[in-house]
Amino acid sequence: MGFARTCSVALVGVEGVVVEVQADLEAGVAAFTLVGLPDKSLTESRDRVRAAIVNSDAEWPQKKLTVGLSPASVPKGGSGFDLAVAAAVLGAAERIDPRTIADLVLIGELGLDGRVRPVRGVLPAVLAAADAGYRQVVVPEQTAGEAALVPGISVLGIRSLRQLIAVLTDEPVPDEEPREEGRPDPMLAGLLVPGAGVGTGLAADPADGPDLADVAGQHTARRALEIAAAGSHHLMLSGPPGAGKTMLAERLPGILPPLTRHQSLEVTAVHSVAGILPPGEPLVHRPPYCAPHHSATMQSLIGGGNGLPRPGAVSLAHRGVLFLDEAPEFSSKALDALRQPLESGHVVVARAAGVVRLPARFLLALAANPCPCGRHTLHGAGCECPASLIRRYQARLSGPLLDRVDLRVQVEPVHRSDLLGHGGRGEPSTTVADRVREARARAAARLDGTPWTVNSEIPGHELRTRFLARPGALAAAERDIERGLLTARGLDRVLRVAWTVADLAGHDRPEADDIALALELRTGITRGVPTAAGEWP
């Protein structure tokens, strides 16, 4: 009889649970039983582990073998348990010392030839192991850089089960055949989800991405874009086709500040679980950008799938930008499902297999035409859409959803002089990004010691009692409340935007002009504030 145990990690959404893998050998008819609520892919590990051990020049025990995964109440899936199961079996068979693997966390899939293949979700798995007190992990060599992002963890990256056995038994470590330069690496297939696409949700580097200098005119929209980036405020661009709505939204990630270390780990964990983390780039530094097609389902936006829910577009855009082009063409149910994550910064998805909490603190950018043909606001353009059709089209964006959008900008057609360059080029993204970083630094200094980092996160109660505007600055907002132009939530969002405008202008508190600009960008009613690029109240 023999017994050995080691550890691995089960992922529930983007959070990990440390699982103890136990192997027990006893006399009887040779059999391999796997218990502990495994799914189909994990059940198949019995054949993968047996073939990998035999092909790694180790002897398969011809006894009754039982492998248990504890706690048994946690659903376990995926092939990432293969390496831990193989190590536990070899420990129970005394091929390796059971004491050397008792405090190890092993993550990886085994090929039939004994090679170790990478799996998705290594970063959140290692984070869970570190939180549980473990200090040594073994992962596939391709994901060792991702695992090493977790501080205080000793990471061993291996290519094969033979190498692991040699390390644990103090034998010479064999050199596995290296991959020839220029040839594709089939082992990386374990990191990608079919259909997700490499790089989905990741924004390009600002030096290589689209530049705001390419946008002709559109001073008001450019200003709204800057405010949205500085305070992480949600934005809606409305106007006829060809006015530049998509062009503007695509340049929003380029003026956002780089992610902090903590934010980078959050974003990398989500993208690792989703299977869209680019190989060779273990840490995401830039805010992600996700622009799903308007045919996207509610599950693809919010999260879902068979079994435990998987991250959707709102989670892939965490700490970045979620752009919905042609927003009225999206399903009404899918759009209204955004209301909860817009308020809370996370989404809770309940399925029969369990309930998962996924991060979803993103900056929402909407683009919409005024009517199905897009020419409703153009004079002499020949819009033939009936009034009832226009009302139905605009009503696809519900009032509760729009009430959560801080900035609403009417994007007018570009003037001929701007389009031909007679008015000069606009500011480049680098210049605007510098002002955004300065504004965020002012906000961070003011919010130091609080749970908030940007103005859009400050609760309304704090805005009305702790972070006060200058006396008399709210007169225009009070009148709009009396006239029914502002709701209570709308007032809170106007105050948040006003603080961002004040940070961009260098004011220590919002003034009347800051409030007026915030009201204009929310209600669309002109308040007489300047809109030239680079000028602030």
Side-chain angles (χ1 to χ4, degrees):
M1 293 175 61
F3 177 83
R5 64 181 180 87
T6 188
C7 295
S8 191
V9 179
L11 290 177
V12 182
V14 294
E15 299 177 355
V17 178
V18 176
V19 173
E20 188 177 61
V21 181
Q22 303 173 339
D24 176 72
L25 280 175
E26 56 184 83
V29 178
F32 187 174
T33 304
L34 183 65
V35 297
L37 209 58
D39 71 350
K40 180 65 175 177
S41 61
L42 182 51
T43 302
E44 292 174 347
S45 70
R46 295 178 297 185
D47 299 318
R48 293 193 298 270
V49 169
R50 180 187 291 110
I53 288 178
V54 172
N55 290 324
S56 299
D57 301 326
E59 184 179 352
W60 180 260
Q62 298 298 321
K63 296 181 180 180
K64 182 180 179 181
L65 171 63
T66 303
V67 174
L69 308 174
S70 300
S73 58
V74 176
K76 305 167 191 72
S79 55
F81 291 88
D82 289 3
L83 197 59
V85 171
V89 172
L90 292 172
E94 298 183 352
R95 175 64 178 86
I96 58 179
D97 188 347
R99 292 173 296 181
T100 62
I101 61 174
D103 295 324
L104 272 183
V105 175
L106 299 103
I107 304 166
E109 175 186 335
L110 286 174
L112 300 184
D113 57 355
R115 289 186 300 171
V116 180
R117 303 179 64 94
V119 294
R120 293 176 279 110
V122 167
L123 177 59
V126 177
L127 283 171
D131 292 341
Y134 292 88
R135 292 294 173 263
Q136 293 181 312
V137 298
V138 179
V139 298
E141 186 180 55
Q142 294 90 338
T143 57
E146 183 179 343
L149 296 173
V150 182
I153 288 288
S154 175
V155 179
L156 172 63
I158 59 172
R159 293 184 183 179
S160 67
L161 182 59
R162 280 184 290 269
Q163 288 186 341
L164 177 63
I165 295 173
V167 170
L168 295 178
T169 56
D170 292 328
E171 298 174 359
V173 179
D175 291 329
E176 299 295 333
E177 181 180 354
R179 180 175 62 90
E180 294 183 14
E181 190 68 26
R183 294 189 60 185
D185 188 356
M187 306 296 283
L188 295 178
L191 297 176
L192 304 177
V193 175
V198 179
T200 299
L202 294 180
D205 189 272
D208 303 324
D211 198 303
L212 264 177
D214 302 332
V215 179
Q218 304 297 0
H219 301 304
T220 301
R222 290 171 61 99
R223 164 168 289 197
L225 219 65
E226 185 173 343
I227 295 173
S232 193
H233 302 288
H234 306 306
L235 169 70
M236 178 175 176
L237 302 171
S238 179
K245 304 185 296 293
T246 303
M247 192 176 187
L248 285 161
E250 288 175 345
R251 283 148 179 78
L252 181 54
I255 61 176
L256 291 175
L259 300 174
T260 64
R261 174 75 178 185
H262 178 70
Q263 292 172 344
S264 293
L265 290 176
E266 287 181 352
V267 174
T268 303
V270 174
H271 285 232
S272 178
V273 170
I276 60 174
L277 193 64
E281 297 183 19
L283 188 64
V284 178
H285 297 282
R286 296 296 310 168
Y289 173 74
C290 194
H293 191 261
H294 60 74
S295 61
T297 63
M298 184 168 67
Q299 288 75 17
S300 66
L301 280 179
I302 304 302
N306 297 327
L308 287 174
R310 301 187 60 80
V314 297
S315 297
L316 297 181
H318 180 59
R319 301 294 181 183
V321 178
L322 175 63
F323 176 46
L324 303 186
D325 201 1
E326 305 294 346
E329 300 294 344
F330 281 78
S331 162
S332 298
K333 288 185 177 180
L335 290 174
D336 285 337
L338 298 174
R339 287 152 54 178
Q340 183 228 343
L342 285 176
E343 288 289 338
S344 62
H346 64 267
V347 59
V348 178
V349 185
R351 295 292 185 269
V355 179
V356 172
R357 185 179 185 271
L358 300 169
R361 189 167 295 282
F362 55 91
L363 194 165
L364 177 65
L366 302 171
N369 293 327
C371 67
C373 77
R375 300 190 297 269
H376 175 60
T377 57
L378 297 178
H379 297 292
C383 175
E384 298 179 355
C385 299
S388 58
L389 179 60
I390 295 175
R391 286 195 299 270
R392 286 198 300 271
Y393 185 79
Q394 295 177 348
R396 293 181 182 178
L397 299 176
S398 66
L401 174 64
L402 291 180
D403 201 34
R404 290 167 168 82
V405 177
D406 304 346
L407 310 171
R408 306 173 193 173
V409 180
Q410 184 68 34
V411 182
E412 301 294 342
V414 183
H415 295 294
R416 180 183 60 184
S417 59
D418 291 327
L419 191 60
L420 297 178
H422 299 324
R425 295 190 63 184
E427 292 180 304
S429 293
T430 52
T431 302
V432 179
D434 289 340
R435 288 202 299 268
V436 169
R437 280 195 293 270
E438 291 174 3
R440 286 217 179 186
R442 293 189 186 99
R446 182 174 64 254
L447 298 174
D448 186 33
T450 71
W452 319 296
T453 55
V454 292
N455 293 323
S456 63
E457 299 174 356
I458 306 176
H461 174 73
E462 298 289 333
L463 290 168
R464 294 187 295 270
T465 58
R466 181 175 175 183
F467 301 101
L468 300 175
R470 290 197 180 277
L474 289 175
E478 293 172 359
R479 288 194 299 269
D480 282 359
I481 292 177
E482 293 176 356
R483 295 162 59 188
L485 296 176
L486 274 184
T487 62
R489 181 191 288 120
L491 175 62
D492 292 344
R493 294 187 175 273
V494 165
L495 292 174
R496 294 170 183 170
V497 172
W499 270 106
T500 301
V501 174
D503 289 334
L504 287 167
H507 302 159
D508 58 346
R509 297 168 66 182
E511 301 177 354
D513 285 344
D514 301 328
I515 299 290
L517 179 56
L519 286 170
E520 179 177 327
L521 291 174
R522 181 171 182 86
T523 63
I525 301 175
T526 303
R527 311 281 171 155
V529 292
T531 58
E535 297 181 10
W536 292 98

